[in-house]
């Protein structure tokens, strides 16, 4: 079982719609979860972090975490063509605290059609 | 403030040559990470520094890879006797040594081994 799994996509949504990106993880002790956006040819850009069960909103982005189900998601409201990118889910592998390297999923490619 | 910087941005080298890749983290970030991103392989962790020490080198793919960090700041990743399978984008990230442990990436070095 892969540590962090995402649907590779592509996920295609029309402009203005809600894009829903999903991720599951295998390590039950994981405490820190992140979403990165990566445009083609660029490095990953942190867009959301979440540490507690429930929802966390930041502008058009909402991250949702369910530790019992080992599931984290990202919702993008009012999707724009500029949101077209690969979205990477990442989990920290803890070193007995909260510090640690990121374990990444393979990413979901999102395409927002005008 | 300034983000993570990496140099060179691109490096083309012949098989068997040694290369050095440099990373300058965000000022004040004591944790530094090296990752590698290959086509079809996703993002994989290489090594983690806390200050000048490397508590986790588990991701280094072979003994041809080494890294050091001096003065708690700049880090150098060295690949000896490069092979074609070393071709990838090498990414550096840094974070604070306290919560929320968010990691910020540099622009990467694209390494091509011919």
């Amino acid at each position: 079982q892969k540590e962090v799994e995402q649907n590779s996509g592509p996920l295609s949504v029309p402009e203005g719609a809600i894009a829903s990106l999903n991720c599951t993880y295998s390590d039950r002790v994981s405490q820190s979860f992140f979403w990165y956006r990566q445009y083609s040819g660029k490095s990953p850009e942190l867009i959301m972090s979440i540490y507690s069960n429930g929802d966390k909103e930041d502008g058009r982005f909402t991250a949702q975490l369910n530790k019992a189900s080992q599931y984290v998601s990202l919702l993008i409201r009012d999707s724009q063509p500029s949101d077209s990118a690969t979205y990477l889910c990442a989990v920290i592998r803890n070193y007995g605290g909260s510090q640690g390297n990121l374990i990444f999923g393979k990413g979901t490619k999102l395409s927002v059609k005008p | 403030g300034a983000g993570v910087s990496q140099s060179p941005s691109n490096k083309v080298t012949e098989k068997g040559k040694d290369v050095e890749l440099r990373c300058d983290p965000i000022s004040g970030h004591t944790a530094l990470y090296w990752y590698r991103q290959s086509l079809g392989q996703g993002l994989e962790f290489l090594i983690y520094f806390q200050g000048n020490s490397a508590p986790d080198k588990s991701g280094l793919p072979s003994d041809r890879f080494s890294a050091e960090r001096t003065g708690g700041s700049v880090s150098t990743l060295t690949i000896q006797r490069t092979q074609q399978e070393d071709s990838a984008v090498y990414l550096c990230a840094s974070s604070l040594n306290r919560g929320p442990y968010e990691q910020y990436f540099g622009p990467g070095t694209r390494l091509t081994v011919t």
Side-chain angles (χ1 to χ4, degrees):
Chain A
Q1 181 188 7
K2 294 193 177 84
E3 291 193 65
V4 180
E5 295 206 54
Q6 299 179 252
N7 288 327
S8 60
L11 173 65
S12 184
V13 300
E15 185 174 355
I18 295 175
S20 178
L21 305 161
N22 305 314
C23 171
T24 57
Y25 60 95
S26 61
D27 189 350
R28 283 195 169 274
V29 302
S30 297
Q31 297 294 323
S32 307
F33 307 87
F34 305 89
W35 284 98
Y36 286 82
R37 177 175 62 197
Q38 188 172 29
Y39 292 113
S40 181
K42 300 295 186 183
S43 63
E45 172 193 7
L46 179 66
I47 53 172
M48 288 289 285
S49 59
I50 187 165
Y51 307 95
S52 305
N53 279 328
D55 295 0
K56 179 181 177 184
E57 187 174 321
D58 184 0
R60 295 186 297 112
F61 298 99
T62 299
Q64 299 174 316
L65 175 61
N66 183 326
K67 290 185 180 179
S69 301
Q70 295 175 242
Y71 176 90
V72 58
S73 66
L74 179 70
L75 300 177
I76 307 174
R77 290 182 300 282
D78 188 24
S79 295
Q80 301 297 309
S82 59
D83 295 326
S84 298
T86 296
Y87 288 80
L88 300 165
C89 173
V91 172
I92 277 192
R93 170 174 287 158
N94 295 331
Y95 293 117
S98 295
Q99 187 67 291
N101 62 281
L102 292 167
I103 307 298
F104 284 89
K106 291 288 179 73
T108 298
K109 189 169 184 177
L110 173 66
S111 177
V112 181
K113 304 294 187 185
Chain B
V4 178
S5 61
Q6 293 186 246
S7 61
S9 55
N10 279 285
K11 177 73 176 178
V12 179
T13 190
E14 291 180 354
K15 178 181 171 181
K17 294 283 178 68
D18 297 352
V19 295
E20 282 191 355
L21 312 179
R22 176 189 167 109
C23 172
D24 202 340
I26 293 171
S27 178
H29 280 194
T30 56
L32 185 148
Y33 305 81
W34 283 97
Y35 296 86
R36 177 169 75 171
Q37 189 170 33
S38 311
L39 272 175
Q41 295 297 318
L43 264 155
E44 58 174 328
F45 165 74
L46 298 178
I47 187 169
Y48 154 59
F49 284 93
Q50 184 54 257
N52 291 334
S53 65
D56 189 352
K57 305 178 183 179
S58 63
L60 294 177
S62 76
D63 59 8
R64 295 186 296 105
F65 287 72
S66 63
E68 65 174 12
R69 190 178 184 194
T70 55
S73 181
V74 172
S75 175
T76 302
L77 177 69
T78 301
I79 309 173
Q80 295 179 309
R81 305 180 303 282
T82 51
Q83 304 294 313
Q84 287 187 330
E85 61 262 28
D86 299 334
S87 295
V89 177
Y90 288 81
L91 292 157
C92 176
S94 70
S95 75
L96 293 169
N97 187 32
R98 54 176 172 78
Y101 303 110
E102 294 174 341
Q103 296 183 24
Y104 296 90
F105 283 84
T109 293
R110 181 176 295 278
L111 175 66
T112 304
V113 181
T114 61

